[in-house]
Amino acid sequence: MITFENVSKKYSTGVEAVRDVSLEIEKGEFAFIVGPSGCGKSTLMKMLLKEVEPTAGRVYINGKDITHLPKKKVPYLRRSMGIVFQDFRLLQDKTVYENVAYAMRVIETSSKVIRKQVPNALSLVGLLHKAKMYPNELSGGEQQRVAVARAIVNNPMMLIADEPTGNLDPDTAWEIMSLLNDINRRGTTVVVATHAKEIVDKMQKRVIAIEQGVIHSDIKRGVYTK
């Protein structure tokens, strides 16, 4: 599903964020990418999303080389992904329903399909009863649930989450991770970048640890060792 092949990234500032990283994440897998701030994990995520280009090496998604994908094709690549950010990134002037529907409207999904899929996604995250509310009327955990609903409403092959619990209290963070686990059980590949040690240890999923831009360890069912 996802392959990094001898990937390196050196920024114009001279910082070498990632050095000769090779790894493969299989279809249907749940993988954590862990490490301290500045270790390179967010750079890896950004390369998957084509927000950052590797300096060397190749990146493959679903068997296709996306390393030098033309910019005009990037939106089509992202249609195969659901993306969840730390800061939610909801549209404040739109309701919960409209925020989730927006992800479908931008790819020109028919209104009939939107009317069916959005309630399904909101039901999955437990927020159908708040469909008419606005983001500022929700708690942080509820806003992140809306972000998850938006990420999965188009039935993506994979879900990419960059520090999805960073702005949440421990109990709410665990609720979000449990939700991502449920989504994974439905067959979606899930990749989460985080430094939330307690959650990683409790989940007992694959743990890919990054230190100073290189893979320090890769354990199929492991814990976050610092």
Side-chain angles (χ1 to χ4, degrees):
M1 171 64 75
I2 298 170
T3 302
F4 288 91
E5 189 176 275
N6 303 114
V7 170
S8 296
K9 174 60 182 180
K10 188 173 184 179
Y11 289 99
S12 58
T13 57
V15 174
E16 193 171 18
V18 174
R19 291 184 288 141
D20 198 30
V21 166
S22 292
L23 67 89
E24 186 167 344
I25 297 172
E26 298 178 359
K27 183 178 179 180
E29 196 168 10
F30 191 124
F32 285 109
I33 299 178
V34 304
S37 297
C39 71
K41 61 183 184 293
S42 288
T43 294
L44 288 177
M45 303 295 265
K46 288 177 180 178
M47 283 193 277
L48 282 179
L49 301 175
K50 294 300 291 179
E51 292 179 356
V52 166
E53 300 290 337
T55 307
R58 294 189 175 278
V59 181
Y60 298 86
I61 292 181
N62 209 25
K64 296 181 180 180
D65 187 348
I66 68 162
T67 312
H68 302 296
L69 192 70
K71 286 186 177 180
K72 64 181 180 180
K73 293 188 177 181
V74 171
Y76 297 97
L77 169 70
R78 291 177 180 165
R79 290 182 185 181
S80 68
M81 306 175 182
I83 307 166
V84 180
F85 301 98
Q86 178 177 342
D87 56 357
F88 318 142
R89 301 194 188 182
L90 301 179
L91 300 170
Q92 297 300 312
D93 61 341
K94 295 185 180 298
T95 64
V96 166
Y97 182 99
E98 291 166 342
N99 264 279
V100 179
Y102 185 78
M104 304 189 78
R105 297 191 193 284
V106 296
I107 60 172
E108 300 179 349
T109 304
S110 71
S111 295
K112 181 180 179 180
V113 174
I114 290 173
R115 287 194 297 269
K116 178 182 178 181
Q117 289 294 100
V118 174
N120 288 344
L122 288 174
S123 293
L124 184 62
V125 302
L127 285 180
L128 182 58
H129 63 296
K130 296 195 174 183
K132 295 182 179 180
M133 297 180 73
Y134 288 85
N136 64 1
E137 299 176 298
L138 305 177
S139 68
E142 288 170 336
Q143 289 186 62
Q144 192 62 297
R145 284 176 176 270
V146 176
V148 172
R150 180 183 59 192
I152 64 172
V153 72
N154 288 317
N155 297 313
M157 296 185 298
M158 69 185 78
L159 190 151
I160 309 297
D162 193 359
E163 299 286 4
T165 63
N167 289 333
L168 306 176
D169 64 78
D171 288 342
T172 305
W174 176 245
E175 290 175 3
I176 294 298
M177 292 312 306
S178 295
L179 177 58
L180 296 184
N181 193 39
D182 289 343
I183 291 167
N184 174 247
R185 287 174 178 170
R186 292 169 177 258
T188 303
T189 305
V190 176
V191 183
V192 179
T194 185
H195 60 268
K197 184 182 188 304
E198 289 185 4
I199 287 176
V200 174
D201 292 352
K202 190 173 182 179
M203 294 283 286
Q204 286 288 299
K205 301 293 186 180
R206 182 179 178 187
V207 181
I208 303 162
I210 308 293
E211 286 189 11
Q212 296 181 334
V214 300
I215 295 178
H216 174 68
S217 63
D218 186 350
I219 305 172
K220 285 295 182 182
R221 290 181 65 83
V223 297
Y224 182 178
T225 57
K226 293 186 179 180

